[in-house]
Amino acid sequence: MLARLAAVRLQEIRQVFRLAPQTSRSFSTALNYHIDTPDNNPDLPWEFSAANKEKVKEILSHYPSNYKQSAVIPLLDLAQQQQGGWLPVSAMNAVAKVIEVAPIRVYEVATFYSMFNRSPVGKYHLLVCGTTPCMIRGSRDIEDALLKHLGVKRNEVTKDGLFSVGEMECMGCCVNAPMITVADYSNGSEGYTYNYYEDVTPKRVIEIVEILRNGEKLPPGTQNSRRIKSGPEGGNTTLLSDPKPPPSRDLDAC
């Protein structure tokens, strides 16, 4: 009796998610299961392009032949680049065939890492760091400025297909917080780039969007003209020369 009630309830829950807008479960941070749709189901054909098949061989060459499954992450990344920024289930199945594992082993990886997107993204996928240092330095204002300027919600794609905005956890540039990453899928896997833009402001991220919209490129890194990389504004005030050796140690004897 309880098992039958549980099965009925599960069916009701699945029906709710089938009727819900796709944007409500756009990325790997959504519920970690797949529901077939006309543009994302295992019956759709998918294979690596001729150029990427050569890259697949190169990637596999880094691993012992009996450990092909170790290549799952770089192969999923390559598939995502080819697909324009997201992973349909048929692409995951193709990766499973290449590394000779059950498809569920690939699904486990694709649903665990938030860098793998399981629904379409914009040609320029903007990722705002939401971890504590960036949050303290105003990352919420950065995200709000992007969403308002583009007229979308988080994880939605603009009508022209150019932009989407997501959140990312720590990107390792806390000294230059706040920061965003731009994953550029506008030229497929051949021209794919993944660049950091640091020390951004709400005004600057809007300028970055318009630069990308015009097809222009801008140097990655700090957007603060008074800094060099992660150095302090105005230049270094310490460590201006080579450090002196310890006074009580004979370095030549080491």
Side-chain angles (χ1 to χ4, degrees):
M1 181 65 178
L2 289 175
R4 186 163 60 252
L5 289 174
V8 171
R9 182 56 180 158
L10 179 59
Q11 186 63 31
E12 292 173 350
I13 292 172
R14 287 186 172 180
Q15 185 63 24
V16 167
F17 279 102
R18 288 193 183 98
L19 297 175
Q22 186 67 16
T23 53
S24 66
R25 51 183 305 277
S26 292
F27 297 103
S28 291
T29 49
L31 292 177
N32 292 331
Y33 63 84
H34 170 77
I35 296 176
D36 286 349
T37 61
D39 61 347
N40 187 8
N41 65 76
D43 296 326
L44 295 176
W46 198 97
E47 63 177 347
F48 284 104
S49 65
N52 282 342
K53 285 179 180 178
E54 294 303 312
K55 292 183 180 180
V56 167
K57 293 179 183 178
E58 194 275 332
I59 290 171
L60 291 175
S61 71
H62 292 247
Y63 304 94
S65 59
N66 59 329
Y67 282 96
K68 288 183 178 180
Q69 64 268 31
S70 299
V72 61
I73 289 179
L75 290 178
L76 283 173
D77 184 45
L78 182 63
Q80 179 164 279
Q81 293 173 28
Q82 177 176 312
Q83 188 65 22
W86 70 291
L87 284 171
V89 67
S90 53
M92 299 183 215
N93 292 343
V95 170
K97 289 182 180 179
V98 169
I99 59 177
E100 299 176 357
V101 298
I104 186 61
R105 297 303 181 192
V106 177
Y107 304 160
E108 289 170 344
V109 176
T111 57
F112 181 82
Y113 292 103
S114 62
M115 293 82 78
F116 294 126
N117 307 314
R118 294 185 292 117
S119 286
V121 300
K123 291 183 178 180
Y124 300 102
H125 188 39
L126 314 176
L127 294 164
V128 181
C129 180
T131 311
T132 305
C134 280
M135 183 179 66
I136 292 172
R137 295 279 291 164
S139 65
R140 289 290 176 258
D141 295 334
I142 301 298
E143 183 183 40
D144 289 344
L146 286 170
L147 296 177
K148 183 177 180 180
H149 182 69
L150 295 171
V152 295
K153 298 177 182 179
R154 184 191 289 182
N155 298 340
E156 285 184 345
V157 181
T158 55
K159 292 180 180 179
D160 59 10
L162 281 179
F163 298 99
S164 55
V165 179
E167 184 183 19
M168 196 76 163
E169 292 307 312
C170 185
M171 303 180 194
C173 291
C174 308
V175 69
N176 287 15
M179 65 164 294
I180 66 170
T181 290
V182 177
D184 183 350
Y185 298 103
S186 60
N187 294 306
S189 54
E190 295 300 319
Y192 170 73
T193 59
Y194 190 88
N195 289 322
Y196 285 8
Y197 297 92
E198 304 145 11
D199 294 307
V200 291
T201 64
K203 178 182 178 182
R204 183 55 180 163
V205 291
I206 292 174
E207 293 172 348
I208 291 173
V209 164
E210 293 309 312
I211 290 171
L212 295 173
R213 191 192 302 276
N214 293 331
E216 303 171 20
K217 301 296 181 183
L218 70 159
T222 179
Q223 302 299 296
N224 184 343
S225 60
R226 293 172 293 176
R227 298 184 73 172
I228 298 176
K229 298 184 178 179
S230 59
E233 289 187 5
N236 290 350
T237 58
T238 60
L239 301 178
L240 299 177
S241 61
D242 291 338
K244 295 180 180 180
S248 59
R249 183 178 177 191
D250 184 359
L251 295 180
D252 294 330
C254 295

